[in-house]
Amino acid sequence: MKHPQSLYQYLLRILCFIVFILFFRVSITFGTDTTGDLCGLVFEQKTRTELPGAVVHLTDLNRFFTTDAEGRFCIVLPAGTYKLEVTHVGLQKVEREVEILPGERTELLIAMAYSALNLDEISVTARPINRLDQPGTVNRIEREAIEHIQASSLADLFELLPGQLSGTPGLSSPRQTLLRQVPTTAEAARSNALGTGIFVDGVPISNNANLQEDVTILNAAPGSLPPFSSVAGRGSDLREISPDLIESLEVVQGIPSARFGDITSGAVLVQSRAGAITPQIRFRFNPNVLDANFTAGFGDGLQNTGISFSGTITQSQDDPRQNLDRYNRLTGQLNLSRSWLSNRALRTNFRLQASQFLDERRRDPQDEVAQRERESQDRFFQFSTNTSYAFRPDRSHRITLDASVSLRQQRSFYSENITRIGLFPLSDALIDTTMQGTFGSTQYRNVTTVEGNPLNIYGRLEYTNRFLLGSTIHMPVAGLEWKHDSNRGDGRQFDVLRPPRQNYSVGDRPRRFDDIPGLNLVSAYAEHRMAGQIGYRTYSIQAGLRFDNVSPETPFMGEFGTVLAPRLNASAEILPKIHLRGGYGLTAKAPTLNVLYPGPRYFDVVNFSYFTTDPAERLAILTTAVVEPDNSGIRPYTTTKTELGTYFDSGSVYAAITFFQENTEGAYGFSREVFPVTFDRFEAISFPEGAPPELNPDPIETRVFLGAYDRPVNNRFIRSRGYELDSYLDLRLPWLSSLALSGAWIRSTSGDDGLTIDTNRLFGSAVPNRIGIYSRENNERDRLSTSIRSIHHIPSLGLVVSLLGQTVWMDRDRRTNVETNPVGFITADGEQVIIPEDQRGDESFADVRRQVSEAFLLEERRPPLWLFNMRISKSFTGGIQASFFANNVFSSRPLYESTRSGSLIRRNPPLFFGFDLSVQIRSGRSLP
């Protein structure tokens, strides 16, 4: 059953609409034209030397200008609050927030330093941001926080967000996101990760064309992961994004702007390191990871060409005592930026990235029987560009083109020795037929390879204008977007006489990817953002609409459907420094190629089998049935996002509480279906010497074999709601610089609107006359957690110490909607019968009633859990900076006895530590 929209959501929509109309009318009627002056002096903190040529970036307006020969700048701006980013060659970036008052002159003194640790202001946690161009709930993580946390991959940075838990940094397995959701089922987690968009410098990283997967063996769960490392059908592997390539990170968990598409859970906006960067070498050590990085950059990209390069090499092992499992990462990135024309109206930025990732398990010499090994290698090449042309000197009116081409070479394989019990007839038929087969070896070595070449092409053309109407800033935005995902490769290959391990008459065939159609997603969006004042109170509104067409057949019809997604965010200052905000929006994720084109499934049923020692006298006749799953009804899955909250922001004190509700419908999963195969049984009428037996052409009997296969479906749902707390207090005391408190209560429920067949009864010694069909149970989980961070910063010593106290106050899960009575059944002939609802409890269906243990229905209630981490960063003379971290410093790992199984479970990760050392290579030149 579809989850009904709540009364709360309808009321919120009406409220947002009224607020939009009211503010729009007021802004036009009562606005007055007011401006102010912003001037400043930029200098080096230690020597107090002025810094000419420093680049000042007004992020809200996307305007750049430089300081003069005396390190000063001055500009006229509309009244309001703005964020500044100041950069200079060889010095750390400085960010400031400034308020421009009408008719007044605002003066700034901006001190810069070689190390961020020596700056008076530093942020080593995630900070919420409230900008006109990025509405909703957004958290920003700066470069200082990335260095301080000593992350091994992008995934480690998410622990700074409200509701996220700290874990052990590692690269032993693929890392995924889980935004505003707690773990319930593997499919729900995969849907959340798939619906989280990763955007690097405005360009999305697509995983839609990843086909590195295997055919699931039937004694494993539907949709089980392949033997090798893969994220096919899931979100991007966050291990691939090295933190050393990231300048800053913004995580949009609320309602995103209409410009962000092909997402449901949220958007992760990565800004890569570019521009002027003092050459730096960094080494990172912990028991699992060795990492080295070199980064350098020259020029500002405005007055002269900006060039930057970053290269990283990483090796990871789960256990340093053995070297069978390992992960290697090699990444290089080159950025080139330049302004063109005399007025610098045309700006371009080019980014070239080349990476190689290797995840392998080598053969264990002590494993003399199976001798298993597996490997996944991924080579990634991407070229992207951002080009913008401004029609005005302040760049408030511009057109922007984002484009990228990325190609992957994915090579995976697994190999093992296989021993079959009994005769092993094989067929290589690719169509429905009955034909002579052959006998396979009872012992052999299988090698299965999967080779894909995903191609992703992306383009976006966007128009932006910004103007002042009265005292209200307006920003209309409109754009067109195109994404293409395809895969050309040899596909999944193996020797048909030495196939992978399978069972229950499931056949297997090689498959190439060349015949799989590509996926095109064409989108258009329009959005209007506005911010202003009513009296002394500020407000902002963002209203947008996005249209997605999946595999277009006409401009308004797609082979796999279309989605019209409205999005609205509004914020108003109801009391001084206290704001009320809310939002409502729809997001959608297009299907991936592995869901749209899962490939045929084969069943090989034996009609006759005769095996002797003489190969010439052997005979095997098999009937092959081919199932081609029909997924023409697959559509994008959607998430309806609603949030309402309030926040207080005085600059040094910030506190926000937000209620959110997210309902995901039509997410992808795999269901195990029953497929009947009708086949004949034959008998031999003679056994000539040196030749195969002669068969009676008339069958002795006709049987029905019930096979099973996994089919992608579009009927999963996820419902999450909860409250988030995000706050910080800048104390600037000698012994305590700041405190940050965050937390979340989240309840997630996952399930599906389909039915499940008890296919396990097919695999017993005797197949029953009827196989039950049941409604699916739901999985529900609640978690309440808080994290408090104390930051101790001494700028004169270049020292930062941060302590984390994390508490999981509540963690419980249970199964709901568990029905033991069958919805229907499948007969021995493969016919599906649905039982009338009022008869499902009758004793006549007792043989297909589902047996559910009492333990299955029990609720797990875990006791509170505490975790304490410590991080230290220190800068030294000569451009040296060292960092140390220790997770679970008290090595607290309590045991919990599971209510359901009675087994003891060790909680909390083990004590873990690491060290980071970086050295800046300075030229020795004095500052101007």
Side-chain angles (χ1 to χ4, degrees):
M1 177 183 293
K2 297 288 184 182
H3 185 71
Q5 295 284 353
S6 67
L7 177 63
Y8 162 77
Q9 289 178 323
Y10 287 112
L11 291 176
L12 185 62
R13 292 186 205 176
I14 296 172
L15 175 63
C16 290
F17 180 76
I18 294 174
V19 169
F20 176 82
I21 298 299
L22 177 63
F23 281 166
F24 184 77
R25 293 187 62 184
V26 170
S27 66
I28 294 179
T29 306
F30 299 103
T32 57
D33 189 5
T34 55
T35 61
D37 294 330
L38 172 63
C39 301
L41 173 66
V42 182
F43 59 95
E44 198 276 322
Q45 180 173 271
K46 187 173 183 180
T47 63
R48 315 295 290 183
T49 305
E50 295 86 358
L51 295 175
V55 178
V56 182
H57 178 203
L58 280 166
T59 58
D60 300 283
L61 302 179
N62 197 29
R63 293 179 59 181
F64 295 85
F65 46 93
T66 58
T67 57
D68 58 21
E70 296 179 350
R72 297 191 62 85
F73 65 89
C74 203
I75 188 172
V76 178
L77 294 172
T81 302
Y82 300 92
K83 293 186 184 295
L84 299 179
E85 290 183 355
V86 184
T87 57
H88 192 281
V89 178
L91 298 171
Q92 294 293 317
K93 180 178 68 175
V94 175
E95 292 191 346
R96 297 285 293 274
E97 183 175 290
V98 60
E99 183 179 4
I100 305 300
L101 300 176
E104 296 188 13
R105 180 186 179 99
T106 302
E107 290 278 355
L108 294 178
L109 293 177
I110 300 175
M112 306 190 72
Y114 284 108
S115 172
L117 302 181
N118 295 111
L119 294 173
D120 291 332
E121 297 183 16
I122 185 173
S123 174
V124 294
T125 62
R127 288 291 178 97
I129 60 173
N130 299 285
R131 291 203 317 258
L132 178 59
D133 65 332
Q134 199 60 270
T137 302
V138 186
N139 287 85
R140 183 178 176 89
I141 302 173
E142 296 291 349
R143 181 66 204 168
E144 307 90 74
I146 296 172
E147 293 181 352
H148 184 66
I149 201 174
Q150 301 168 62
S152 299
S153 70
L154 175 61
D156 296 328
L157 301 177
F158 290 97
E159 70 174 60
L160 298 175
L161 303 177
Q164 299 285 335
L165 302 183
S166 175
T168 299
L171 304 172
S172 59
S173 60
R175 305 289 302 275
Q176 304 270 273
T177 60
L178 192 64
L179 299 180
R180 282 187 169 176
Q181 185 177 313
V182 289
T184 52
T185 64
E187 284 186 341
R190 293 175 193 175
S191 298
N192 187 283
L194 180 62
T196 301
I198 310 295
F199 298 81
V200 179
D201 297 335
V203 172
I205 296 178
S206 176
N207 197 45
N208 290 343
N210 190 335
L211 294 171
Q212 300 299 110
E213 56 184 2
D214 197 38
V215 175
T216 303
I217 192 169
L218 288 183
N219 51 7
S224 294
L225 299 178
F228 47 81
S229 177
S230 174
V231 290
R234 298 191 285 165
S236 298
D237 189 351
L238 302 184
R239 295 181 300 177
E240 298 181 357
I241 303 177
S242 170
D244 292 308
L245 306 181
I246 302 174
E247 178 63 30
S248 64
L249 180 73
E250 293 182 2
V251 182
V252 183
Q253 297 191 88
I255 293 87
S257 163
R259 75 193 306 263
F260 297 117
D262 204 22
I263 63 172
T264 54
S265 310
V268 179
L269 314 180
V270 177
Q271 182 67 43
S272 63
R273 302 188 72 183
I277 304 172
T278 303
Q280 181 186 68
I281 300 175
R282 178 181 299 278
F283 300 96
R284 184 174 295 113
F285 315 89
N286 67 50
N288 294 346
V289 178
L290 295 176
D291 184 89
N293 168 264
F294 173 76
T295 302
F298 311 93
D300 56 21
L302 298 175
Q303 295 180 325
N304 47 60
T305 301
I307 301 175
S308 63
F309 170 80
S310 186
T312 301
I313 182 170
T314 307
Q315 185 176 59
S316 173
Q317 290 180 197
D318 240 1
D319 188 342
R321 297 169 296 180
Q322 58 91 4
N323 59 358
L324 298 178
D325 292 283
R326 65 177 181 175
Y327 175 82
N328 293 335
R329 178 179 65 197
L330 179 64
T331 300
Q333 181 172 285
L334 178 68
N335 286 69
L336 174 67
S337 56
R338 183 174 178 180
S339 295
W340 307 82
L341 307 179
S342 58
N343 59 356
R344 301 192 183 95
L346 180 64
R347 293 178 182 171
T348 56
N349 181 77
F350 302 99
R351 182 171 61 88
L352 178 64
Q353 180 177 336
S355 304
Q356 177 172 296
F357 314 101
L358 176 66
D359 191 326
E360 66 174 346
R361 178 177 177 81
R362 290 178 284 184
R363 191 180 305 182
D364 187 351
Q366 298 180 353
D367 181 14
E368 298 179 355
V369 179
Q371 297 186 21
R372 294 184 179 92
E373 59 182 329
R374 50 96 176 159
E375 178 181 292
S376 287
Q377 185 178 96
D378 192 341
R379 292 174 179 166
F380 175 66
F381 307 90
Q382 184 182 56
F383 173 78
S384 64
T385 178
N386 172 273
T387 302
S388 64
Y389 179 82
F391 300 98
R392 300 177 188 146
D394 62 0
R395 306 194 67 80
S396 60
H397 186 201
R398 63 186 183 275
I399 189 168
T400 304
L401 173 66
D402 289 298
S404 76
V405 177
S406 62
L407 175 66
R408 289 181 182 268
Q409 294 180 347
Q410 297 176 325
R411 305 291 183 264
S412 304
F413 87 89
Y414 64 92
S415 178
E416 64 174 335
N417 293 336
I418 294 177
T419 300
R420 300 270 187 174
I421 300 177
L423 301 179
F424 181 31
L426 289 171
S427 174
D428 60 358
L430 300 177
I431 59 173
D432 292 340
T433 186
T434 299
M435 59 178 283
Q436 182 174 338
T438 186
F439 287 96
S441 302
T442 56
Q443 291 185 335
Y444 61 92
R445 185 164 187 82
N446 164 256
V447 178
T448 300
T449 62
V450 184
E451 299 187 1
N453 299 317
L455 173 66
N456 311 112
I457 304 175
Y458 174 78
R460 177 174 61 205
L461 184 65
E462 183 178 272
Y463 167 83
T464 304
N465 196 1
R466 190 181 185 115
F467 58 89
L468 195 65
L469 186 60
S471 62
T472 303
I473 298 174
H474 293 264
M475 182 186 290
V477 178
L480 297 172
E481 190 177 71
W482 171 59
K483 291 179 67 176
H484 170 81
D485 298 285
S486 60
N487 196 320
R488 298 291 180 266
D490 290 340
R492 184 172 175 267
Q493 301 293 326
F494 55 87
D495 184 347
V496 292
L497 297 179
R498 295 175 173 82
R501 189 184 302 274
Q502 273 296 353
N503 49 15
Y504 308 116
S505 296
V506 173
D508 207 348
R509 308 289 191 272
R511 182 200 186 196
R512 294 185 60 85
F513 295 158
D514 294 342
D515 60 344
I516 297 177
L519 178 70
N520 291 289
L521 177 63
V522 177
S523 307
Y525 60 89
E527 188 171 80
H528 190 85
R529 310 164 188 168
M530 52 189 289
Q533 289 182 310
I534 301 178
Y536 295 101
R537 302 287 182 261
T538 62
Y539 70 90
S540 66
I541 295 176
Q542 172 246 15
L545 189 65
R546 182 182 180 89
F547 176 74
D548 293 325
N549 191 339
V550 186
S551 290
E553 296 176 330
T554 70
F556 301 103
M557 291 183 60
E559 180 182 0
F560 300 108
T562 60
V563 178
L564 188 64
R567 298 177 192 175
L568 176 66
N569 284 283
S571 174
E573 187 179 16
I574 55 177
L575 293 171
K577 310 296 184 181
I578 299 178
H579 299 254
L580 179 67
R581 65 183 177 192
Y584 170 84
L586 184 73
T587 54
K589 178 70 186 74
T592 55
L593 292 186
N594 74 319
V595 170
L596 293 175
Y597 308 103
R601 298 293 182 259
Y602 300 86
F603 297 94
D604 296 323
V605 186
V606 178
N607 306 92
F608 178 84
S609 176
Y610 180 72
F611 183 88
T612 68
T613 56
D614 185 356
E617 297 179 355
R618 299 172 186 171
L619 179 63
I621 305 296
L622 296 96
T623 291
T624 296
V626 184
V627 182
E628 187 72 59
D630 178 17
N631 288 309
S632 58
I634 292 288
R635 294 294 182 264
Y637 69 92
T638 61
T639 297
T640 303
K641 301 169 76 76
T642 308
E643 66 176 19
L644 182 65
T646 182
Y647 69 92
F648 171 82
D649 187 1
S650 67
S652 60
V653 179
Y654 179 89
I657 186 167
T658 303
F659 167 79
F660 67 88
Q661 182 168 297
E662 301 188 355
N663 294 331
T664 299
E665 303 289 346
Y668 309 124
F670 286 85
S671 289
R672 188 151 291 170
E673 306 288 343
V674 172
F675 182 75
V677 179
T678 302
F679 69 103
D680 296 324
R681 295 283 294 171
F682 296 97
E683 65 176 353
I685 57 177
S686 66
F687 297 88
E689 186 176 350
E694 293 183 4
L695 303 183
N696 186 344
D698 297 323
I700 59 173
E701 64 175 333
T702 299
R703 294 182 181 178
V704 176
F705 167 77
L706 297 182
Y709 70 100
D710 295 342
R711 180 174 68 89
V713 290
N714 197 183
N715 60 10
R716 304 304 197 244
F717 67 80
I718 309 163
R719 315 203 198 288
S720 289
R721 61 188 176 95
Y723 294 88
E724 287 178 341
L725 170 67
D726 200 356
S727 63
Y728 63 82
L729 177 63
D730 288 334
L731 299 171
R732 302 187 184 182
L733 300 173
W735 53 274
L736 181 60
S737 303
S738 60
L739 282 173
L741 173 65
S742 64
W745 169 75
I746 302 175
R747 170 175 291 174
S748 296
T749 304
S750 63
D752 70 65
D753 298 317
L755 302 174
T756 180
I757 303 172
D758 186 10
T759 55
N760 290 329
R761 303 189 70 185
L762 295 174
F763 311 140
S765 57
V767 178
N769 292 326
R770 299 191 294 190
I771 299 171
I773 303 174
Y774 312 95
S775 60
R776 290 182 180 268
E777 71 273 2
N778 299 336
N779 291 271
E780 182 180 279
R781 187 167 185 174
D782 293 74
R783 189 173 71 194
L784 172 63
S785 63
T786 58
S787 296
I788 183 168
R789 288 177 170 85
S790 61
I791 295 96
H792 311 263
H793 178 210
I794 306 177
S796 59
L797 299 179
L799 176 67
V800 173
V801 179
S802 66
L803 305 175
L804 166 67
Q806 174 184 284
T807 306
V808 179
W809 300 99
M810 178 183 66
D811 189 359
R812 62 187 183 188
D813 66 85
R814 61 174 181 158
R815 295 181 176 95
T816 61
N817 194 39
V818 180
E819 291 288 342
T820 58
N821 293 327
V823 174
F825 58 87
I826 294 177
T827 67
D829 294 330
E831 180 186 359
Q832 180 172 305
V833 178
I834 298 298
I835 304 171
E837 188 172 354
D838 59 346
Q839 300 178 21
R840 293 172 184 174
D842 291 354
E843 286 302 313
S844 59
F845 302 113
D847 61 313
V848 289
R849 191 167 293 151
R850 181 162 50 174
Q851 301 300 315
V852 177
S853 66
E854 292 184 4
F856 185 81
L857 301 175
L858 293 177
E859 180 180 85
E860 291 277 6
R861 285 177 172 265
R862 302 164 185 86
L865 181 68
W866 289 270
L867 178 73
F868 298 93
N869 296 346
M870 176 180 65
R871 283 172 169 78
I872 302 173
S873 297
K874 175 73 172 72
S875 66
F876 301 90
T877 57
I880 299 174
Q881 181 171 312
S883 300
F884 171 82
F885 78 89
N887 288 352
N888 196 1
V889 292
F890 299 118
S891 194
S892 172
R893 304 195 68 202
L895 287 171
Y896 164 70
E897 182 178 356
S898 171
T899 305
R900 296 193 187 109
S901 66
S903 59
L904 295 177
I905 300 172
R906 181 76 67 180
R907 305 178 72 192
N908 265 344
L911 171 66
F912 196 82
F913 58 89
F915 180 73
D916 185 295
L917 178 68
S918 65
V919 179
Q920 290 184 341
I921 306 172
R922 299 177 183 172
S923 63
R925 295 185 298 108
S926 59
L927 289 169

